[in-house]
């Protein structure tokens, strides 16, 4: 009787309010993992996670870039519903000192789980904004969105964080501003020379005034772009800046230390831990232990180090006896970055057989990501699901597991994955999924419930250059609108069931199937668009621009500098 009661208690503990561990990589291609077909990169820890759990083969990001994809992941809603997607050139947050960010009226899964008795933590990258009106209001901060604890980067890694890498943050605008400054400075020097040689009649006072204006112009933009590493590349613990600028070589060990420590502190549970890895985003900072060890250069080294980090976090879960009471999830925020290159060396991920990459919302390579769930004793080990699912589905899934309720006062685009994961349902809850590039609808997919066939309609696609490159070489990424895209009328139609690489579009003259599918998807698009409401744009120029009064700083501004964290290896 005692043994039976113990067994019942175990099963009850296993299925009621599990710990939830969410791990998200940054810019990882679906083809970079062994469990998704890569046989040249070593990812044993993530592969083991897939062997012990459920692997999704058609798991889709809601956006092809960091800020909007993560906003959708956290809220279970398309990013444009919260104003976290763009209508112009700025598609992600650019500065810690911008005023845009995840609005305070948005509800994250962390906020709901916090109300259900969970201790909630975020370790790693945030990239959803910090302040609104003052340096310390922290209106967009993780602690104002349901997380009890935060350690990591409020922004994201960029090349500017590395003192030896070429700048990447708004590089085009920076180059133009520098050119304008040089032209104006040359003009001032010409006037001075003309005045000195008595070729022109002008007062020295006016010359000094013009020179002052040029200097002010230079200072106005160099105050931000000249110090990107100091302003953006920082680490915070809760509301306090702990490292400014951050030492990149120590970041991985600090993130790992914090994640393991959070698990140890909260092993009595229940806890929600979102580990938002800095890997594998450029500048691909990799520790000595992994440098030169992979078969795919610096990017491969970084992927293999990321897998080791995941393994150490999973080991911490197992060492505390939490494996059977923890739902573990692994994914990436979007596809690999095809335009990230150093000469002929690829610095971005591999998206397998799928066309396109980061920044491209329509093509599969930009949005198809790994999706792995493990919960021993509850989810079947080694199971593979080919149904279409979304990162937005994680929101209602974890809310349901925690015993909470999804908000009823707004549109929630995600659907709980529990019936699919447990094997209670054979089909995805999504009949249609809509793929946005910024606020522009580029494509839509239809999953026929009866036949299981999967159709995808492209209304807009980016123009690759050079032709046939499969990416937008020479630029940071492909655009969503304007001269760099093609609008298709009639639209492109692919049968993803037999053509997942999107290599063979169906001809409009192929028969009634083309017309019927395009018409059916068109009706679904019109119905979906009726649910879209105007909201304040968080990524407008006004909101993404650098504002010195909003800059997080660990000393008197502008002398922001500190290093309050010590690497575990240095103690």
């Amino acid at each position: 009787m005692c043994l039976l009661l113990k067994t019942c208690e175990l099963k009850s503990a296993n299925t009621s309010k599990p710990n939830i561990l969410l791990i998200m990589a940054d810019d990882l291609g679906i083809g970079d993992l062994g469990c998704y077909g890569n046989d040249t990169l070593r990812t044993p820890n993530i592969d083991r996670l897939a062997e012990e759990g459920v692997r999704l083969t058609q798991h889709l990001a809601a956006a092809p870039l960091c800020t909007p994809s993560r906003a959708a992941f956290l809220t279970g809603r398309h990013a444009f519903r919260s104003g976290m997607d763009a209508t112009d050139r700025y598609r992600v947050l650019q500065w810690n000192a911008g005023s845009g960010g995840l609005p305070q009226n948005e509800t994250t899964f962390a906020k709901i789980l916090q109300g259900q008795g969970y201790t909630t933590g975020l370790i790693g990258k945030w990239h959803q904004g910090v302040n609104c009106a003052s340096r310390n209001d922290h209106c967009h901060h993780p602690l104002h969105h349901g997380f009890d604890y935060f350690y990591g980067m409020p922004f994201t890694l960029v090349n500017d964080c590395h003192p030896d890498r070429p700048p990447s943050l708004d590089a085009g605008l920076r180059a133009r501003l520098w050119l304008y400054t040089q032209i104006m400075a040359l003009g001032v020097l010409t006037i001075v020379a003309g005045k000195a040689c008595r070729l022109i009649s002008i007062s020295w006072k006016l010359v000094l005034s013009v020179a002052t204006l040029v200097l002010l112009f230079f200072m106005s933009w160099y105050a931000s772009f000249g110090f990107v590493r100091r302003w953006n590349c920082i680490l915070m613990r809760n509301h306090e800046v702990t490292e400014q600028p951050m030492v990149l070589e120590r970041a991985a060990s600090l993130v790992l230390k914090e994640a393991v420590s959070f698990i140890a502190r909260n092993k009595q549970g229940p806890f929600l831990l979102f580990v938002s890895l800095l890997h594998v985003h450029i500048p691909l900072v990799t520790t000595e232990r992994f440098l030169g060890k992979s078969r795919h250069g610096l990017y491969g080294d970084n992927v293999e180090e990321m897998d080791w980090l995941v393994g150490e976090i999973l080991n911490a879960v197992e060492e505390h006896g939490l494996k059977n009471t923890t739902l573990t999830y692994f994914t990436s925020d979007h596809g690999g970055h095809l335009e990230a290159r150093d000469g002929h060396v690829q610095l971005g991920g591999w998206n397998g057989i799928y066309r396109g990459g980061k920044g491209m919302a329509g093509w599969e390579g930009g949005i198809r990501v790994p999706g792995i769930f493990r919960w021993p004793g509850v989810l079947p080990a080694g199971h593979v699901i080919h149904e279409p699912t979304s990162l937005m589905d994680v929101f209602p899934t974890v809310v349901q597991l925690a015993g909470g309720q999804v908000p009823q006062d707004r549109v929630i685009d995600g659907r709980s994955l529990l019936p699919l994961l447990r094997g209670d349902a054979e089909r995805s809850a999504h009949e249609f999924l809509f793929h946005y590039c910024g606020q522009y609808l580029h494509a839509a997919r239809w999953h026929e419930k009866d036949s299981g066939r999967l159709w995808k309609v492209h209304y807009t696609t980016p123009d690759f250059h050079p032709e046939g490159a499969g990416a937008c070489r020479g630029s940071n990424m492909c655009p969503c609108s304007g001269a760099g895209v093609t609008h298709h009328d009639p639209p492109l139609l692919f049968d993803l069931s037999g053509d997942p690489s999107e290599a063979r579009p169906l001809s409009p003259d192929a028969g009634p199937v083309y017309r019927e599918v395009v018409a059916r998807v068109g009706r679904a698009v019109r119905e979906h668009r009726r649910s879209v409401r105007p909201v304040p744009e968080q990524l407008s120029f006004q909101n993404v621009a650098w504002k010195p009064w909003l800059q997080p700083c660990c000393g008197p501004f502008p002398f922001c500098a500190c290093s309050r964290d010590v690497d575990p290896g240095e103690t």
Side-chain angles (χ1 to χ4, degrees):
M1 195 67 172
C2 287
L3 287 171
L4 184 62
L5 286 171
K6 286 287 183 187
T7 304
C8 291
E9 285 173 13
L10 241 152
K11 286 184 178 177
S12 174
N14 202 36
T15 55
S16 65
K17 289 200 174 181
N19 302 310
I20 296 171
L21 171 61
L22 310 174
I23 305 174
M24 178 178 281
D26 197 0
D27 284 18
L28 179 72
I30 191 172
D32 291 328
L33 302 178
C35 54
Y36 282 92
N38 193 309
D39 57 3
T40 57
L41 281 175
R42 294 166 294 189
T43 55
N45 296 294
I46 298 171
D47 296 346
R48 175 167 60 91
L49 195 66
E51 291 169 5
E52 297 175 352
V54 179
R55 182 168 63 90
L56 308 176
T57 64
Q58 199 181 155
H59 200 41
L60 303 160
L65 283 177
C66 307
T67 295
S69 175
R70 291 162 184 268
F73 175 73
L74 288 162
T75 63
R77 324 170 359 104
H78 279 289
F80 59 76
R81 299 194 191 279
S82 57
M84 292 292 281
D85 226 333
T87 55
D88 57 20
R89 62 189 298 266
Y90 293 105
R91 298 167 59 188
V92 298
L93 294 172
Q94 301 287 304
W95 300 95
N96 279 324
S99 55
L102 191 63
Q104 296 176 77
N105 62 354
E106 286 296 322
T107 301
T108 66
F109 53 68
K111 188 174 290 185
I112 296 176
L113 266 64
Q114 198 176 48
Q116 295 298 311
Y118 276 71
T119 301
T120 57
L122 168 60
I123 311 293
K125 169 177 171 172
W126 174 237
H127 210 187
Q128 298 293 300
V130 183
N131 298 312
C132 288
S134 67
R135 181 167 293 123
N136 297 310
D137 67 30
H138 291 173
C139 65
H140 303 306
H141 191 279
L143 268 59
H144 280 198
H145 280 293
F147 291 100
D148 297 308
Y149 183 76
F150 169 64
Y151 179 84
M153 284 191 78
F155 190 59
T156 181
L157 284 178
V158 288
N159 260 354
D160 305 74
C161 294
H162 198 296
D164 299 328
R165 301 287 169 82
S168 61
L169 184 73
D170 220 343
L173 176 61
R174 195 183 317 196
R176 288 196 300 274
L177 290 171
W178 179 236
L179 176 63
Y180 300 155
T181 303
Q182 290 175 305
I183 292 172
M184 288 188 286
L186 183 62
V188 170
L189 290 174
T190 302
I191 293 172
V192 169
K195 172 68 175 174
C197 297
R198 298 181 180 179
L199 297 176
I200 55 175
S201 176
I202 189 173
S203 70
W204 283 111
K205 185 176 181 181
L206 183 58
V207 173
L208 182 62
S209 298
V210 173
T212 302
L213 287 174
V214 173
L215 180 63
L216 288 173
F217 172 77
F218 171 70
M219 291 175 61
S220 69
W221 68 263
Y222 194 78
S224 56
F225 284 118
F227 301 93
V228 173
R229 182 167 172 256
R230 186 169 300 275
W231 300 150
N232 276 351
C233 308
I234 68 175
L235 292 174
M236 296 182 75
R237 177 178 285 107
N238 294 328
H239 293 297
E240 179 188 18
V241 178
T242 60
E243 196 164 274
Q244 187 172 19
M246 63 191 284
V247 180
L248 294 182
E249 292 74 16
R250 305 191 323 177
S253 60
L254 290 172
V255 166
L256 176 59
K257 174 190 173 187
E258 289 286 341
V260 169
S261 177
F262 183 91
I263 292 168
R265 290 197 309 270
N266 298 286
K267 60 186 177 183
Q268 300 304 320
F271 67 76
L272 162 72
L273 175 58
F274 177 22
V275 181
S276 180
L277 297 169
L278 304 181
H279 292 60
V280 290
H281 199 291
I282 54 172
L284 301 176
V285 178
T286 309
T287 58
E288 191 70 30
R289 175 179 174 182
F290 291 91
L291 275 178
K293 298 298 193 296
S294 79
R295 294 167 58 183
H296 291 283
L298 186 57
Y299 181 81
D301 299 343
N302 208 241
V303 170
E304 293 188 357
E305 182 175 54
M306 175 205 67
D307 179 78
W308 173 78
L309 290 171
V310 171
E312 292 298 296
I313 295 169
L314 297 179
N315 289 342
V317 169
E318 294 177 18
E319 286 168 7
H320 291 291
L322 303 175
K323 181 176 179 178
N324 292 338
T325 56
T326 301
L327 173 77
T328 302
Y329 168 72
F330 178 84
T331 193
S332 176
D333 54 356
H334 47 70
H337 191 182
L338 302 182
E339 289 84 5
R341 298 171 70 86
D342 183 6
H344 296 292
V345 178
Q346 179 69 27
L347 297 179
W350 184 49
N351 299 315
I353 65 170
Y354 304 109
R355 193 173 181 181
K358 177 179 178 177
M360 306 177 216
W363 298 120
E364 290 291 286
I367 54 176
R368 198 178 284 224
V369 294
I372 303 170
F373 286 88
R374 184 187 72 178
W375 188 3
V378 178
L379 303 183
H383 188 47
V384 179
I385 295 174
H386 302 290
E387 295 290 297
T389 58
S390 169
L391 260 66
M392 296 184 290
D393 297 338
V394 173
F395 177 96
T397 302
V398 299
V399 167
Q400 182 180 346
L401 282 172
Q405 294 289 327
V406 299
Q408 302 298 309
D409 61 345
R410 63 197 67 191
V411 175
I412 299 295
D413 297 295
R415 301 290 182 266
S416 176
L417 292 170
L418 286 181
L420 203 59
L421 294 174
R422 286 173 167 163
D424 299 332
E426 292 184 358
R427 296 295 185 199
S428 166
H430 293 286
E431 184 178 7
F432 296 95
L433 283 167
F434 306 96
H435 307 303
Y436 282 82
C437 188
Q439 294 192 11
Y440 303 96
L441 180 69
H442 274 204
R445 78 179 63 212
W446 176 30
H447 182 229
E448 282 192 79
K449 295 294 184 182
D450 296 333
S451 67
R453 291 185 77 176
L454 188 66
W455 302 98
K456 186 151 168 222
V457 176
H458 286 262
Y459 300 103
T460 304
T461 56
D463 298 333
F464 295 148
H465 51 82
E467 192 173 342
C472 298
R473 307 290 188 204
S475 61
N476 187 42
M477 68 186 64
C478 293
C480 294
S481 60
V485 302
T486 296
H487 300 284
H488 299 282
D489 186 15
L492 300 178
L493 174 63
F494 294 93
D495 180 359
L496 293 185
S497 306
D499 180 24
S501 301
E502 299 173 285
R504 303 183 301 275
L506 276 69
S507 169
D509 303 322
V513 172
Y514 177 93
R515 293 189 298 275
E516 290 169 4
V517 172
V518 168
R520 180 67 188 93
V521 174
R523 290 195 299 272
V525 166
R526 289 190 292 274
E527 183 180 348
H528 159 74
R529 293 296 297 172
R530 283 197 288 268
S531 72
V532 179
R533 299 287 182 271
V535 293
E537 292 182 16
Q538 299 298 320
L539 302 185
S540 65
F541 177 78
Q542 178 182 354
N543 281 330
V544 302
W546 184 74
K547 303 174 180 66
W549 59 91
L550 299 183
Q551 178 61 51
C553 186
C554 60
F557 183 84
F559 307 103
C560 309
C562 62
S563 183
R564 297 168 184 166
D565 283 317
V566 179
D567 188 286
E570 297 176 0
T571 59

